[in-house]
Amino acid sequence: MTKAAALYHKNLEDQKVIFLYGIPAEVRKQLQSGSGKLFSMKSYEAAFHRYNFLHLTGVRLSGAGVSSAIHFYEKCLDNRLAFEDFRFAEDGSTVQKLEILENMMGIKRNAMMIGDFTDRGPKLFAEKAAGNVSGCIGFVKDRNTGLNVPNTLLKKDIRDVTASPIQKVYAVLSKNYTAKRYSVIEKVDKGIDLKRCLFAEEIEDKLERERF
């Protein structure tokens, strides 16, 4: 968890991420047309705050050593986390989450697919999931901010927990939490030229194209 916290701090903390995705057959058809217009592409934005890290670990806070999710995260970063500060979930899910936690801190580069979450267990709810065949991060809208935030981590093939048809992630961009538009290209499919292609207006309005 301390290693994953360091990666979260470096790669995700206080950032917003936008996933650009679509149905492969539809995107392929538009690419082949040569128009450069990829209007079938959709987008999904997510914000990563300090307090979201705890949810991804699957552990529960315990004892007086940790007062909040942010305090837990800070103790992880400072290598001061003690065994008495947390406990594993009784359903056994914590072990599975921890097995892929470190790897999924690279979600901006290893997200291959995204879709509407369908694997609704008795204690689990997410609206969207992004990831790959090894694992995925679930997202839900924060009631206070209205932003999509990570709320769970699953060691499951994303195709088994999302609705069909499969939505392929073609590009991932990021920005600082306070920035107006997305300017950092984290990942882009080899068939997509971000300098030449055009997306729907609602996506274009979010991109700082002069930085590409």
Side-chain angles (χ1 to χ4, degrees):
M1 287 190 290
T2 55
K3 290 180 180 179
L7 291 172
Y8 188 92
H9 174 70
K10 177 182 178 181
N11 300 324
L12 296 168
E13 182 186 325
D14 290 335
Q15 290 187 31
K16 287 184 179 179
V17 174
I18 186 169
F19 300 92
L20 302 184
Y21 64 96
I23 298 173
E26 295 179 358
V27 175
R28 191 181 309 115
K29 184 177 180 180
Q30 292 186 335
L31 285 172
Q32 292 172 345
S33 73
S35 67
K37 298 177 180 179
L38 300 179
F39 292 169
S40 67
M41 204 85 82
K42 300 177 181 178
S43 68
Y44 185 79
E45 295 180 87
F48 293 81
H49 304 109
R50 294 166 65 85
Y51 59 81
N52 297 132
F53 178 74
L54 172 63
H55 297 296
L56 300 179
T57 65
V59 304
R60 307 290 188 267
L61 301 183
S62 63
V66 181
S67 58
S68 66
I70 292 179
H71 189 199
F72 171 85
Y73 177 61
E74 291 174 342
K75 292 192 77 169
C76 285
L77 288 178
D78 295 338
N79 286 308
R80 295 187 296 106
L81 191 67
F83 285 111
E84 56 267 23
D85 292 334
F86 63 91
R87 57 183 173 80
F88 282 17
E90 295 178 359
D91 61 6
S93 62
T94 303
V95 174
Q96 291 186 331
K97 293 179 191 296
L98 294 181
E99 287 176 350
I100 60 168
L101 178 63
E102 201 171 334
N103 179 261
M104 294 308 292
M105 295 302 95
I107 187 67
K108 291 188 295 187
R109 292 180 176 84
N110 63 27
M112 305 300 293
M113 290 165 277
I114 190 170
D116 294 331
F117 192 72
T118 58
D119 188 33
R120 306 194 187 285
K123 299 181 180 179
L124 180 64
F125 174 78
E127 297 167 350
K128 212 84 167 179
N132 50 50
V133 297
S134 300
C136 55
I137 291 180
F139 297 92
V140 69
K141 182 168 289 189
D142 187 297
R143 294 180 180 177
N144 296 318
T145 65
L147 300 172
N148 301 311
V149 296
N151 76 322
T152 190
L153 184 65
L154 295 173
K155 187 184 179 182
K156 290 186 177 182
D157 186 330
I158 189 173
R159 295 171 296 182
D160 295 334
V161 296
T162 53
S164 296
I166 296 173
Q167 305 277 307
K168 178 180 177 179
V169 173
Y170 285 90
V172 180
L173 296 90
S174 67
K175 65 176 181 178
N176 183 272
Y177 186 82
T178 58
K180 286 189 65 176
R181 293 184 174 88
Y182 291 92
S183 60
V184 180
I185 301 173
E186 302 287 355
K187 167 188 174 175
V188 61
D189 189 82
K190 62 181 180 180
I192 306 291
D193 186 346
L194 288 179
K195 293 182 179 180
R196 297 185 178 183
C197 65
L198 288 174
F199 303 105
E201 185 177 352
E202 59 265 26
I203 296 179
E204 288 291 337
D205 289 343
K206 298 172 183 176
L207 307 181
E208 192 173 329
R209 280 201 166 274
E210 57 267 25
R211 296 285 299 273
F212 294 173

